[in-house]
Amino acid sequence: MLNSQSVCKKYTNTEGVISLGKKEIIAMLLAGGQGSRLGVLTSHKAKPAVSFGGKYRIIDFPLSNCINSGIDTVGVLTQYMPLQLNRHIGIGVPWDLDRRSGGAAILAPFTTGAAGEWYRGTADAIYQNIDYIERYNPDYVLILSGDHIYKMNYSRMLAFHKKMGCDVSIAALTVDMEEASRFGIMNVNDDHSIYEFEEKPKEPKSNLANMGIYIFKWDVLRNALEEGSHIHSDLDFGAHVLPELLSQGKKMYAYPYSGYWKDVGTVESYWEANMDLQKTVPDFGLYEDFDKIYTDMEHQPPVFTGAQGEIQGGIASDGCEIYGTVRNSVLGANVYIAEGAVVEESIIMSGCHIGRGSVLKRCILDTDSTVGDNVKMGFGDDVANAMQPKVYNTGITVVGESSSIPDGVEIGKNCVVFGITSPSDYLDGALLSGESIIKENASGVIK
């Protein structure tokens, strides 16, 4: 692990930028993504702000990785619907990133007297914040995505970067060959040096996937951003910066990673990653004493299970009251499961209420949603959603934040409910598989 004291050097002042003390390495965390493939879960918040694993949010994982790796300066680049994300991060207290020198900084798009615009690409977002990076005059810059679930000690990747004399190192994961076309693929020599990039190739030559985690020498990255910004208004690492640096003969190496890593960019992958947590021997563990994941969460009373309450596998966060049955599910804080209710293979986020006798299977409920009594949800034919068939097509029914479902209705598979609904919204008391109810009162979002 890096020693945070060792990465701080004497104050300097370069090119008119006020220095905040030299750092060996700083991280830039790209957290502005909309995550449209998560449907209503990201209709009013950025994907990194979505809850995960009961008590966490997706962004907690890269932030925790940073502090566990001794990296104490993190710029968090936000853009789409940033309010919940900004509130969650605050000044970085849960991750020990509330520091006078370094710490966490929220970096939103901004205007100046001459110009100002949205981030238009991953590399463009970094380019627009060159002054922030220059304040620390780092030797290296770590680029991260805010929407992946994994644990990694970045100091080991930095040690690899130094050992190989890299200009750029890229974390790489071996994926199944049939899945390789979904990723940016790197073709490498025996010493891990990269000789070719393929962006989501139809017929990949290898199965070594780009994880979207990069370490650059700062001078190499700065020059690439300045040169690329004159050519590409939507400057992107995968499409522009990395191929150009390779063509220039820069030393680029793939850093092999063999642990758990999940891109939770779809409803199915998000559901699967949550289900992975509660296996008897989980693929991804939250319970080790090392490399802990930190979060910002209010103190709550312990979980209470009533006389008839039962948890058969799964995760229940603080403040839950369980009087019914929970099977292989993940519950956020302050979830209430009434008597006779059965929740199976589902994700129930914080503040939700499940009424008496209701049965839910393979459902995702966003925060503060209410399900009435004797509701049946997640059963029926497996028909893709009519409104968004590419988003909801794996049998999972999703309920948006602060929604309400009345007593006694039946809701099928691949359904979407968002807003305060009433019995009149359900034809003959049912919402058939693949159908949706999106209300104008759905957190101010009109679909």
Side-chain angles (χ1 to χ4, degrees), residues 141-143 157 168-171 210 212-216 237-238 242:
V141 175
L142 170 66
I143 307 295
M157 183 174 175
V168 186
S169 53
I170 303 172
N210 179 352
I213 301 170
Y214 313 117
I215 293 179
F216 288 86
F237 282 110
L242 297 176

Side-chain angles (χ1 to χ4, degrees), residues 368-370 400-406 417-426 437-443:
D368 298 322
S369 291
T370 300
E401 183 174 349
S402 301
S403 297
S404 179
I405 296 171
V417 178
F418 195 17
I420 309 301
T421 65
S422 63
S424 61
D425 294 312
Y426 299 83
I437 300 175
I438 309 292
K439 304 290 286 187
E440 291 187 3
N441 56 20
S443 300

Side-chain angles (χ1 to χ4, degrees), residues 199-229:
E199 187 61 26
K200 297 182 179 179
K202 292 183 179 180
E203 297 181 1
K205 299 175 185 177
S206 80
N207 57 346
L208 196 61
N210 179 352
M211 296 171 62
I213 301 170
Y214 313 117
I215 293 179
F216 288 86
K217 287 183 178 177
W218 171 227
D219 58 340
V220 171
L221 176 58
R222 181 180 54 220
N223 291 338
L225 294 175
E226 290 173 345
E227 292 172 3
S229 67

Side-chain angles (χ1 to χ4, degrees), residues 159-424:
F160 171 88
H161 184 98
K162 293 177 179 179
K163 178 182 177 181
M164 306 305 291
C166 302
D167 294 307
V168 186
S169 53
I170 303 172
L173 180 73
T174 300
V175 299
D176 293 337
M177 201 67 190
E178 57 267 25
E179 295 288 318
S181 60
R182 296 178 48 238
F183 296 91
I185 295 298
M186 296 174 287
N187 299 317
V188 302
N189 298 306
D190 291 341
D191 64 351
H192 302 293
S193 60
I194 301 168
Y195 66 84
E196 185 181 26
F197 290 105
E198 296 181 283
E199 187 61 26
K200 297 182 179 179
K202 292 183 179 180
E203 297 181 1
K205 299 175 185 177
S206 80
N207 57 346
L208 196 61
N210 179 352
M211 296 171 62
I213 301 170
Y214 313 117
I215 293 179
F216 288 86
K217 287 183 178 177
W218 171 227
D219 58 340
V220 171
L221 176 58
R222 181 180 54 220
N223 291 338
L225 294 175
E226 290 173 345
E227 292 172 3
S229 67
H230 297 302
I231 303 171
H232 306 285
S233 62
D234 58 344
L235 192 62
D236 182 84
F237 282 110
H240 306 128
V241 173
L242 297 176
E244 177 59 26
L245 289 176
L246 188 64
S247 72
Q248 293 175 8
K250 299 297 184 183
K251 294 188 69 175
M252 305 179 72
Y253 281 75
Y255 172 72
Y257 174 78
S258 58
Y260 182 94
W261 179 87
K262 193 86 165 182
D263 181 349
V264 289
T266 67
V267 169
E268 182 181 27
S269 64
Y270 174 77
W271 178 86
E272 286 177 344
N274 275 274
M275 295 300 106
D276 286 344
L277 297 175
Q278 36 91 32
K279 295 179 180 178
T280 303
V281 180
D283 297 325
F284 180 75
L286 295 172
Y287 307 105
E288 299 94 347
D289 290 333
F290 56 91
D291 292 341
K292 291 183 178 179
I293 303 301
Y294 304 96
T295 191
D296 180 31
M297 184 178 180
E298 295 179 357
H299 294 292
Q300 304 290 349
V303 175
F304 177 80
T305 304
Q308 303 301 317
E310 187 177 16
I311 303 176
Q312 301 173 0
I315 295 172
S317 302
D318 290 350
C320 288
E321 295 183 51
I322 301 170
Y323 300 92
T325 300
V326 176
R327 298 191 187 109
N328 303 320
S329 296
V330 176
L331 309 185
N334 295 319
V335 169
Y336 185 95
I337 309 294
E339 293 179 7
V342 178
V343 176
E344 186 171 359
E345 297 180 347
S346 295
I347 303 166
I348 313 296
M349 299 187 200
S350 62
C352 289
H353 181 110
I354 311 299
R356 291 173 178 266
S358 291
V359 182
L360 284 66
K361 185 169 184 178
R362 286 175 61 91
C363 296
I364 301 174
L365 271 63
D366 207 341
T367 55
D368 298 322
S369 291
T370 300
V371 175
D373 296 341
N374 300 310
V375 172
K376 190 174 181 180
M377 187 185 308
F379 298 87
D381 297 331
D382 196 351
V383 179
N385 187 267
M387 289 179 58
Q388 292 184 287
K390 293 183 179 180
V391 176
Y392 310 102
N393 56 25
T394 56
I396 300 166
T397 285
V398 183
V399 177
E401 183 174 349
S402 301
S403 297
S404 179
I405 296 171
D407 297 344
V409 300
E410 295 187 6
I411 299 173
K413 296 180 179 180
N414 294 316
C415 291
V416 181
V417 178
F418 195 17
I420 309 301
T421 65
S422 63
S424 61

